[in-house]
Amino acid sequence: MSAPGKTGMRTARGPLARWGQRLTRDKADTLLLLAAALLVLAPHFGHLPLWTSASIVAVLLWRASITLLGKRMPPLWLLLPVSVLAMAGVYLSFRTLLGRDAGVAMLALLLAFKLLEMHARRDVFVVIFLSFFLLLTNFFYSQSMLTGAAMVATIILLLATLLTFQYTGIVPPLRQRLRTAGKIFLSAAPLALLLFFAFPRIQGPLWGMPGDAHGARSGISDTMAPGSMTSLALSDEVAFRVRFHGKLPEQRQLYWRSIVLGNYDGKTWTRSARSRYRGVSKDLARISGEGVRHEVTMEPTGKRWLFMLELTDPGLRTPGLQTAYNEELEIFSREPVLQRVRYEAMAYLDYQMQPALDEQQRERALRLPQGYNPRTLALAAQLRRDSPAASAQAVLKMFREQKYSYTLEPPLLGRDAVDDFLFDSKAGFCEHYSGAFVVLMRAMGVPARVVTGYQGGELNPVDDYLTVRQSDAHAWAEIWLAGRGWQRVDPTAAVAPERVSLGLGRALPRQAPFGLGALMDLRNDGNSWLGQLRFRFHAVNNAWNQWVLDYNPERQSSFLGELGDAFGNWRGAAALLAALALLWLARKLRMRAALDPVEAAYDAFCRMMAKRGMERAPHEGPHGYARRLQAMDAPEEKKAAMRAFLELYGALKYAAPAGGITAPAKQLAILLKRSR
């Protein structure tokens, strides 16, 4: 939709370009605007209600058919009730017109309907600027590196569309317009980077809203029942990343402690009541040996539990996050973790946890529900040995020597779930083995409990970060031994030792050539070119998370401090930032100098005439200017050159020649010299 009475011609190559050249200026420009709007709207189709996405697509197709067929726009009496019905549909879908999801749905529908109500250039600019605004809302749902790259491409197309509607004469090919839009984007990038790194940061997420922060997220739960861990094992989503400041512990030592489950009702394990400690007590934990210092970058969970390498000193550094811990050494924040957090910790692999138990703690760690699992209780009596440690070894030996299997697809269990697992199915995942082990130990009179968290991780050799995924979720057991405190026992390792030493993928049985076990093996194959490519992509993505999404006030202060130290003081850092700003300004000036040759010649001509006292009036076009210049005191040959110059400029500006502008631009330069 271009300005009335102003047309232009395009030079194009290729079948698609030739088809576009056959379209009128208005149709081609409108179709480009529709394509840009589609790029803005398409990423939202994944989270908008189906009827909303279908309505938007229908409106875009409607608008495209109007453009191609030359039909009239729909009248206001039709658009108004359709818009009201759409807003009512948004309310029925979200039960509100406020908030992130409802607001984005309304904006998307508003953009689509506005495309059916364009009658002037002003409406075109409203659509483009509304597209820029809606584009930002994509970051409410995804802040990944790929999302950022897609948004950059969309911005460039929107800028090219905006440029298209600014041309009043010759319209360059789409490729050239996209190149110009890219230059505009790049010219703003240095200033944007300078502001990003130097402008004071605020604490908390930028792309988030408090009312929408509690959306469902996968992760470890504070309850455990048969099958609860299996669903996490199928997820490749990142739980957290770890950077060690020294030697990486062995895979079998990487137990990431999170939640302790002590209550059992015969079906589900839950947390038990416990007190909260304010300081580190020698009665709670005794540590020895050299500590393992590491930094954890945890993804948002919507829950309060933090993940710690056993056994982490509770006095960890958590900037912007208030934490506490209890007698079972669960470390948690006072508020749900709704954004990515980074914290440094010191773990000690040689430790004794709670060497002494009082009667209440002991009774709680021995409690079993009445009337459940009679066969398991009888088995416990048979396996019981002279000491708690020997009794635990007897249970592990049973798991190793009898036909128990480790699988993601265990059969369903009945009311007496532990009985069914131990005597009938003999197939299960980590929650089956840890839960059954704790029930057996409690039946033998040994205090025991379940611990959930993650085990292992995958080291990326590119950036030396250990990535722990939801598929690494694990459950193990702890038994209390006199004088030694709580000791970790992993019954899953008795059945599938590869789970602890090599990871989940090596422990799963291969049930089919393309089953999950084969996929896990492919993922762990870091020597293949595909594995190396995956490592590099994850390293770049992690850098994006660390330096873009998680660039908080603490990291900004550290970065600027290091920059200042590198230059001796803050003045050196300020000089560097000023130099970057000057480089950006110089680039802008060079781009400004690289004007369209036709416009550059016309500007030079107007400046030359102004010096002779014949300045062009703001309202004056080239033909009117030429008539006025004929009255000036100058030789006739110069007047003829002036007249020819302005007539050629008018033809190039408002009626472009089919052969392009290169040759006429050179002719303009010749006429400009003759006019001096």
Side-chain angles (χ1 to χ4, degrees), residues 438-464:
V438 171
V439 170
L440 283 168
M441 297 309 297
R442 287 187 176 188
M444 297 179 190
V446 180
R449 61 194 185 188
V450 175
V451 182
T452 60
Y454 298 85
Q455 198 285 321
E458 180 186 46
L459 181 66
N460 190 330
V462 177
D463 59 2
D464 291 328

Side-chain angles (χ1 to χ4, degrees), residues 352-389:
Q352 290 184 356
M353 189 192 312
Q354 211 168 3
L357 282 184
D358 58 35
E359 287 301 320
Q360 183 181 4
Q361 293 169 337
R362 183 180 181 84
E363 186 276 332
R364 190 169 62 215
L366 290 172
R367 192 180 302 159
L368 285 173
Q370 297 295 322
Y372 286 87
N373 305 303
R375 289 186 290 174
T376 300
L377 300 182
L379 177 64
Q382 297 175 14
L383 294 175
R384 186 168 184 172
R385 300 294 185 265
D386 295 336
S387 67

Side-chain angles (χ1 to χ4, degrees), residues 143 192-207 297 339-342 542-563 577:
Q143 301 173 27
L193 289 174
L194 181 64
L195 292 174
F196 177 82
F197 285 106
F199 195 80
R201 312 292 292 180
I202 59 174
Q203 190 69 47
L206 176 61
W207 300 106
T297 304
Q339 59 176 315
R340 185 178 290 105
V341 296
R342 184 191 297 112
N542 182 46
W544 168 270
N545 292 338
Q546 298 286 339
W547 285 101
V548 178
L549 302 184
D550 199 28
Y551 189 65
N552 53 28
E554 290 76 19
R555 172 145 288 199
Q556 182 187 48
S557 177
S558 174
F559 170 72
L560 294 180
E562 292 176 1
L563 194 63
L577 296 178

